[in-house]
Amino acid sequence: MSEKSPAPGGLELLESLVNTLDIETGADSLDTAEGRARFGLAEEDVPSARELRESLRVALLAHAGHPPHRAVTPLGELLTASPLVVAVDAADGSATLAPAARTPVGEGPLLSRVAAAVALALVEGTWHRLKACEAADCHWAYYDRSPAGRGRWCSMQVCGARAKMRRYRAK
């Protein structure tokens, strides 16, 4: 897992949500009140937040060309529960993405924020740069800042070095 600078814009929310689970240790910050508060979650919202997190992870693995780590509800299917509209403020003309309607409690504001972040990243062309690490014991979310956009690991110093060492030893 890497401690690089966070992803730009709304992608930081997605990156931090995916990274609430440390696969290597099994530590899940959604198990703590502080971790839930960070995302505005009540304890009863945690199962749907975990489902959203793992669906995001599968999408980020796909961005990096890796197979899913397990079967999950597709991200697009989850996001249909939170359709967005462009809301324009009559006073100043500013525009934002907002939920089209109230969502059920279990799908609350986090799902809407994720949907808005994905939509904004699509418009900005940054969505495919948010990836998940290739290492099976990591799958940490990271923003690929490489010039060609072909990053495979969250960190060359940790996961990349481990993979290269495994290949070297296999020879």
Side-chain angles (χ1 to χ4, degrees), residues 126-140:
T126 58
W127 171 237
H128 285 285
R129 288 274 184 160
L130 190 62
K131 299 179 178 182
C133 183
E134 177 179 309
D137 59 346
C138 182
H139 291 318
W140 201 252

Side-chain angles (χ1 to χ4, degrees), residues 56-119:
L56 273 167
R57 189 183 316 275
V58 166
L60 302 186
L61 284 166
H63 287 175
H66 313 308
H69 66 302
R70 66 179 193 199
V72 298
T73 304
L75 181 60
E77 189 176 315
L78 291 177
L79 294 180
T80 60
S82 186
L84 300 173
V85 296
V86 177
V88 180
D89 186 301
D92 68 3
S94 63
T96 60
L97 288 172
R102 288 276 195 216
T103 56
V105 172
E107 294 163 356
L110 179 60
L111 184 61
S112 295
R113 289 172 46 209
V114 166
V118 170

